[in-house]
Amino acid sequence: MGGALSLALAAKLGKTSKPLDGKLIQSHPNFESDGIFPIAVISFYGTPSKNFIDISEIPLSTPVQAHFGQNDSFKGFSDSETALELDAVWTDTIQMNRRKNFENFYRPEAQVFVYPQSGHAFMNEIEMQRRINAQAKYQATLVGDVWKRVGKFFREKLKNTCYVVLVTMFFIFRWIYSFWWLYTSLPLLTAPFFLFGFISLVSYLVPALIANFVVKPQNLKTKYNAKWALVTGQICSMASGIGAAIVRKCAAQGLNVVIVALDDNLLTETAADVTKEFPDVEFRTVGADLSGIDYMDNIIRATSDIEVQLVFNNAGYIRTGLFGHLSISTIMKNYDCNSTNYIYISHHFLNLMRERGQKGLLAYTASSGCFVPTPMTIMYGSTKVFVAQFAASLAPELYEDGIEVCCVHPSPTKSRFYDSVSKELGIVAFFERTSVGPEQVADAFFSNAGRFTIVDFGYFSVLTKIMFKLIDWNFFAEIMKIGIRVEKDYQRMKSEYAETIKEKLASRS
């Protein structure tokens, strides 16, 4: 039935302005705002009734692949005659429209496969075939070949976010189904593993779902009886990113705000904008290069006459390049901006709050990038790992004092943060296309402060964490080590690095 429904959906959407084919969808004027991603359709042993919907024109808008068993006995639904008839219909449709000019050079495509000595539900394991009285025996080799064919079809047809998400979820559910069959067959042997897996998933998913969908933003001014907040940023983040969103969120709750960022026109413009937007709130700016060493004196001087109880450590940026190719000064600046200033600023303000006996909040912007190895942006992922570990370790020390810690791992976020980096790394450009708004990340801080210490926010953070409950991180590091060599940006950077070495050797000779 699932295969028939897949074809029915593809046929129905094929007659609208939003068919399932990605190339056509991307030409739709609302592609970005609608959040539509490219897709293809695959059907297993099932076709909808002709009286219900006409599926003959699916290939004209959507790449389609269908699989049937030769010995299938469900006449008119999934038997071999129905499969061959469908193949002929789709072939005729493509032939009749072969001279038609499709948008974005789309080429109609349909594939129909009929497998010998296979019946209905031939992809299911032995136990499931027995339960549904399948007409042919389970063939492991055939099933493996079909999965390879399906994977190849996905790789060819799905070019961006949809490929990553759908294929990942496809194989996750495939594994879950296989494990469930194993559990029902050998319960005593597999029960401990299912118990461990169940506890691992539930203990993660319940807090993650609550943090993402249940809790609502709190009034932090009231919660902590606070008057002042301090927000740090770096380079462009105060103009349009998470830092600016946090500043506005604080001001909207009547909190006065100290903005600490690079001393340039962006800081001046941001301060002018928020002052005009919130005339009843006081703003102070501190021009500071948080990748340097001389910023604390300016921060202490600017806050000496006020009581800051909410500290949002948000500074950070990505520097691309191979570690050995970057200068050590460039590396250390990235390191200091992304982590060192968090230590100095946190130490200063938490001690002031302790001395006054005040409640407060130390908030940290980490990243989902810290969940995976990050070659070519080594310092970014590494420093964000530090931020998360630092926050999780600091929280128990401060909890009894009423000073709470909240660290958010945002999924990719829309901001000028990606302006230069996306031109250098294709994977970053991909994340930029699937990013969430900075206001949503700000809401995550205000919703989870005092409720959760570590928050994985957004689709990428949650899916990545789930992935590492199925695949061990150490094993993934080995995969990354071997697989990186085929990545185009890595090959380009490696070539540039080799040229640099040659030039150095030539200059010495």
Side-chain angles (χ1 to χ4, degrees):
M1 183 58 69
L5 291 175
S6 297
L7 295 178
L9 176 63
K12 183 174 180 62
L13 294 183
K15 300 180 182 301
T16 71
S17 62
K18 299 178 182 179
L20 288 179
D21 175 63
K23 297 182 181 66
L24 298 185
I25 288 175
Q26 290 186 50
S27 66
H28 190 273
N30 295 325
F31 170 70
E32 291 292 342
S33 60
D34 289 352
I36 306 165
F37 303 110
I39 197 170
V41 61
I42 292 180
S43 168
F44 280 94
Y45 24 78
T47 57
S49 169
K50 296 177 183 178
N51 297 327
F52 175 65
I53 193 167
D54 178 15
I55 62 173
S56 63
E57 295 187 352
I58 290 177
L60 301 184
S61 62
T62 306
V64 59
Q65 188 179 90
H67 303 266
F68 298 88
Q70 187 180 53
N71 299 334
D72 197 317
S73 63
F74 288 91
K75 297 293 183 181
F77 179 71
S78 57
D79 64 298
S80 59
E81 292 181 4
T82 301
L84 294 175
E85 181 183 345
L86 180 63
D87 187 26
V89 168
W90 281 346
T91 300
D92 290 343
T93 297
I94 293 173
Q95 286 296 319
M96 286 188 295
N97 291 274
R98 66 183 185 279
R99 298 186 183 279
K100 181 178 178 180
N101 292 321
F102 292 89
E103 294 183 57
N104 294 293
F105 307 102
Y106 171 69
R107 297 179 63 185
E109 181 176 355
Q111 302 173 2
V112 177
F113 299 97
V114 180
Y115 300 101
Q117 300 179 349
S118 298
H120 192 76
F122 62 85
M123 295 294 288
N124 290 329
E125 277 78 0
I126 299 172
E127 178 65 18
M128 182 58 70
Q129 287 197 346
R130 183 185 64 78
R131 292 180 183 179
I132 64 174
N133 297 317
Q135 299 99 350
K137 292 183 178 180
Y138 178 74
Q139 303 177 61
T141 302
L142 171 64
V143 171
D145 292 340
V146 175
W147 284 129
K148 290 179 182 178
R149 181 168 282 159
V150 168
K152 181 181 179 182
F153 187 75
F154 273 146
R155 288 193 299 272
E156 290 176 353
K157 306 307 171 189
L158 311 182
K159 299 300 184 183
N160 63 9
T161 313
C162 185
Y163 172 72
V164 176
V165 175
L166 283 184
V167 173
T168 299
M169 297 307 297
F170 174 78
F171 284 107
I172 286 175
F173 285 118
R174 165 74 179 163
W175 292 336
I176 292 173
Y177 179 78
S178 298
F179 291 145
W180 176 254
W181 173 82
L182 184 63
Y183 172 70
T184 57
S185 302
L186 302 169
L188 293 179
L189 178 63
T190 57
F193 296 99
F194 274 90
L195 178 62
F196 296 151
F198 178 78
I199 293 173
S200 177
L201 279 173
V202 170
S203 63
Y204 173 71
L205 281 176
V206 170
L209 292 175
I210 292 173
N212 278 269
F213 301 110
V214 177
V215 295
K216 301 300 180 184
Q218 310 162 88
N219 188 316
L220 299 189
K221 180 178 181 180
T222 303
K223 182 181 180 72
Y224 296 102
N225 192 27
K227 296 180 180 179
W228 281 89
L230 180 140
V231 183
T232 68
Q234 180 68 7
I235 305 181
C236 63
S237 61
M238 275 301 170
S240 61
I242 298 173
I246 294 174
V247 168
R248 287 184 165 85
K249 191 79 176 175
C250 288
Q253 295 188 352
L255 285 160
N256 302 311
V257 186
V258 180
I259 306 174
V260 182
L262 202 64
D263 192 6
D264 60 9
N265 291 336
L266 289 175
L267 176 59
T268 304
E269 292 170 5
T270 300
D273 289 344
V274 294
T275 300
K276 183 178 180 180
E277 188 175 349
F278 303 98
D280 298 328
V281 173
E282 182 179 349
F283 295 94
R284 296 185 182 183
T285 60
V286 180
D289 181 2
L290 297 175
S291 65
I293 58 175
D294 300 325
Y295 48 83
M296 281 308 299
D297 287 343
N298 291 341
I299 294 174
I300 293 171
R301 192 161 41 247
T303 59
S304 61
D305 61 331
I306 59 177
E307 297 180 357
V308 174
Q309 291 172 252
L310 309 178
V311 179
F312 293 89
N313 292 281
N314 176 64
Y317 66 95
I318 295 179
R319 185 65 172 87
T320 61
L322 299 181
F323 181 76
H325 198 189
L326 299 173
S327 68
I328 193 64
S329 62
T330 298
I331 291 169
M332 294 311 298
K333 279 182 175 292
N334 198 181
Y335 172 83
D336 288 334
C337 179
N338 290 14
S339 59
T340 306
N341 71 85
Y342 288 32
I343 300 172
Y344 282 108
I345 293 172
S346 298
H347 189 268
H348 174 71
F349 286 105
L350 76 84
N351 277 307
L352 289 179
M353 284 186 270
R354 269 178 162 169
E355 291 169 7
R356 300 178 188 127
Q358 293 174 320
K359 295 190 298 181
L361 172 69
L362 297 176
Y364 300 90
T365 304
S367 171
S368 52
C370 77
F371 299 157
V372 296
T374 54
M376 300 177 287
T377 58
I378 285 179
M379 297 314 299
Y380 185 74
S382 303
T383 51
K384 293 304 183 179
V385 170
F386 165 79
V387 170
Q389 177 69 13
F390 177 73
S393 301
L394 183 61
E397 295 186 5
L398 302 179
Y399 184 71
E400 284 189 336
D401 300 319
I403 301 172
E404 295 170 327
V405 175
C406 182
C407 176
V408 174
H409 293 118
S411 291
T413 306
K414 287 176 180 154
S415 72
R416 295 176 61 186
F417 184 81
Y418 293 105
D419 282 1
S420 61
V421 182
S422 61
K423 297 180 178 67
E424 299 178 31
L425 291 180
I427 188 66
V428 175
F430 155 70
F431 286 136
E432 184 181 13
R433 291 196 299 271
T434 64
S435 54
V436 299
E439 298 81 9
Q440 294 173 270
V441 181
D443 281 344
F445 279 110
F446 280 71
S447 298
N448 292 286
R451 291 169 171 163
F452 295 104
T453 301
I454 304 294
V455 178
D456 298 335
F457 178 72
Y459 81 97
F460 185 79
S461 294
V462 174
L463 287 179
T464 305
K465 274 289 187 68
I466 293 174
M467 180 183 76
F468 283 117
K469 294 184 180 298
L470 298 173
I471 302 173
D472 185 73
W473 194 91
N474 294 356
F475 178 71
F476 185 81
E478 297 301 319
I479 295 175
M480 181 72 78
K481 179 181 69 178
I482 297 170
I484 190 65
R485 65 190 66 179
V486 301
E487 212 280 326
K488 292 183 179 179
D489 292 315
Y490 171 78
Q491 293 173 351
R492 172 178 56 80
M493 290 185 181
K494 196 76 172 178
S495 176
E496 292 171 355
Y497 190 17
E499 288 298 320
T500 301
I501 292 175
K502 287 181 182 179
E503 292 173 4
K504 286 183 178 181
L505 293 176
S507 66
R508 293 173 186 173
S509 59

